[in-house]
Amino acid sequence: QVQLVESGGGLVQAGGSLRLSCAVSRSIFSINDMGWYRQAPGKQRELVATIISGNTNYADLVKGRFTISRDNAKNTVYLQMNNLKPEDTAVYYCYVDVFITDNYYKYWGQGTQVTVSS
């Protein structure tokens, strides 16, 4: 079982910044696929950013404002969010894809609320 714990969410004014952290309960050194999704009220969960095999990918809505990174020594994935907009308001979830025995399994964190006021 792999546990993920997000932190760093909160209330911020438009134009402000937040850094989300996702602590993973095992070494992430060999994990090649990890990232962040978000879900706003009444909307489907949507992809925000990923790191897959060392390559970063971003949703068009956050390109140039958000940066995903990882620290293998701390088993942590980060999401730096700058120039936040009210439409970024959502619950943010991190995930990792872990290869166990003969298959990949996706694990999710519990989510952290980000609220951006106008």
Side-chain angles (χ1 to χ4, degrees):
Q1 186 73 11
V2 180
Q3 294 181 329
L4 288 72
V5 179
E6 297 109 334
S7 60
L11 174 64
V12 64
Q13 288 188 333
S17 298
L18 286 173
R19 189 176 81 155
L20 305 183
S21 299
C22 174
V24 184
S25 64
R26 54 152 282 174
S27 171
I28 65 171
F29 180 80
S30 61
I31 297 178
N32 292 322
D33 184 355
M34 58 183 66
W36 294 87
Y37 278 70
R38 69 186 181 186
Q39 187 166 19
K43 295 186 177 182
Q44 290 187 331
R45 190 173 294 192
E46 63 178 1
L47 181 68
V48 175
T50 63
I51 296 181
I52 301 176
S53 299
N55 298 310
T56 58
N57 302 281
Y58 299 93
D60 289 342
L61 289 175
V62 307
K63 278 181 181 176
R65 300 188 297 121
F66 291 11
T67 303
I68 187 172
S69 62
R70 58 188 288 173
D71 186 333
N72 291 343
K74 296 183 178 179
N75 298 329
T76 301
V77 181
Y78 301 100
L79 185 68
Q80 177 67 43
M81 306 185 295
N82 298 328
N83 190 22
L84 282 160
K85 303 177 180 181
E87 51 264 43
D88 294 318
T89 295
V91 178
Y92 284 71
Y93 300 89
C94 65
Y95 79 90
V96 295
D97 269 342
V98 180
F99 187 78
I100 300 176
T101 306
D102 59 355
N103 209 343
Y104 282 94
Y105 297 89
K106 193 179 234 82
Y107 294 91
W108 295 91
Q110 82 288 353
T112 186
Q113 176 71 47
V114 171
T115 302
V116 184
S117 64
S118 58

